[in-house]
Amino acid sequence: MNGNGTALSAGGVQLGVVHAPVRAGEDGELAFTVSTADGQPVTKYEEAHGKQLHLIVVRTDGAHFRHRHPVLDPEIGVWSIPWTWAAAGAYRVFTDLTPAGGESVTLSRTVEVAGDYQPQAAEPVAKDVVDGYEVTLDGTLAAGAATMLTARVTRGGQPVAELEPYLGSFGHLVALRQGDLAYLHIHALGDGEPGEIRFHAEAPTTGRYLLYLDFQAEGTVRTAAFVLDAA
């Protein structure tokens, strides 16, 4: 996995201004346009993992992660989705996309959300509990070296054998480097034992990484969060 997603433009396209509610708790819409170098909106995209665009939003301290799929108006090239900020702070908005006939890129912008901001410290943790599902991430990250990460999903102490495909695999893992939030997008190698999802990972540098695993069970997508250090 290679770190990217820290720039407004790449591969001949640019992420425009992100329009969204200005305060936490306000209902509204998040909308943006991706344009070519000459300012023309991009209206045609290739699909990747079942979607034309993956929207990743997370506060700069790693809290309030969301992975969504907005809708494109093909006439004007505007992506939009209903949106409410859960809390105040500075958020990084990532767009993972492939323009038709172009290269896959990840573009990002920072959006400021007004309100009382209470940052959260990100300490190393390899286990999370979501709606009764216990998720453990086994393995380590090493700078410049390939490693294997295995997510194990259990419930009541038993492996969850009924994991359902989500975006073309049984799990979808996003990792962000703390500090600059360089975007590391990984997909599963495949399922191993029941309740296991394996990933191939390579951290570009030493540092602390924020990891978010989307998995689906009983028709619902849930997100488990972890923090690992790359030595």
Side-chain angles (χ1 to χ4, degrees):
M1 60 185 182
N2 297 317
N4 58 12
T6 59
L8 290 172
S9 60
V13 292
Q14 177 171 307
L15 175 61
V17 174
V18 175
H19 300 279
V22 297
R23 297 190 63 86
E26 291 182 355
D27 295 335
E29 181 181 74
L30 187 149
F32 57 88
T33 302
V34 177
S35 302
T36 60
D38 59 1
Q40 297 300 310
V42 178
T43 58
K44 295 182 179 179
Y45 295 81
E46 307 285 351
E47 279 198 4
H49 307 289
K51 299 293 181 180
Q52 291 185 328
L53 185 142
H54 297 267
L55 174 70
I56 304 293
V57 180
V58 64
R59 202 167 66 177
T60 53
D61 62 352
H64 305 293
F65 173 91
R66 278 187 275 183
H67 177 179
R68 298 290 186 267
H69 303 102
V71 175
L72 173 67
D73 184 332
E75 296 298 322
I76 58 176
V78 175
W79 293 92
S80 63
I81 186 171
W83 201 262
T84 304
W85 300 105
Y91 286 78
R92 181 71 62 81
V93 175
F94 298 92
T95 57
D96 191 0
L97 56 99
T98 305
E103 62 181 89
S104 177
V105 296
T106 302
L107 311 175
S108 73
R109 274 186 180 270
T110 299
V111 176
E112 302 286 347
V113 180
D116 182 21
Y117 175 39
Q118 301 292 334
Q120 300 178 17
E123 300 296 335
V125 59
K127 182 178 291 187
D128 196 8
V129 179
V130 187
D131 295 339
Y133 291 88
E134 301 171 351
V135 189
T136 302
L137 190 64
D138 293 334
T140 60
L141 291 176
T147 61
M148 183 77 71
L149 298 177
T150 302
R152 292 184 168 86
V153 184
T154 62
R155 194 172 193 182
Q158 299 299 315
V160 178
E162 299 81 17
L163 291 177
E164 300 161 356
Y166 174 61
L167 300 177
S169 67
F170 285 97
H172 185 279
L173 186 65
V174 168
L176 303 172
R177 184 171 55 196
Q178 190 182 51
D180 63 356
L181 294 185
Y183 181 81
L184 309 157
H185 199 169
I186 324 158
H187 279 269
L189 293 173
D191 55 325
E193 299 296 323
E196 287 187 358
I197 316 165
R198 298 173 299 148
F199 301 91
H200 178 269
E202 185 175 343
T205 65
T206 59
R208 182 156 292 177
Y209 289 82
L210 317 171
L211 298 97
Y212 308 89
L213 172 68
D214 289 332
F215 66 97
Q216 182 167 307
E218 299 180 327
T220 300
V221 177
R222 298 170 174 85
T223 303
F226 315 96
V227 180
L228 296 182
D229 288 334

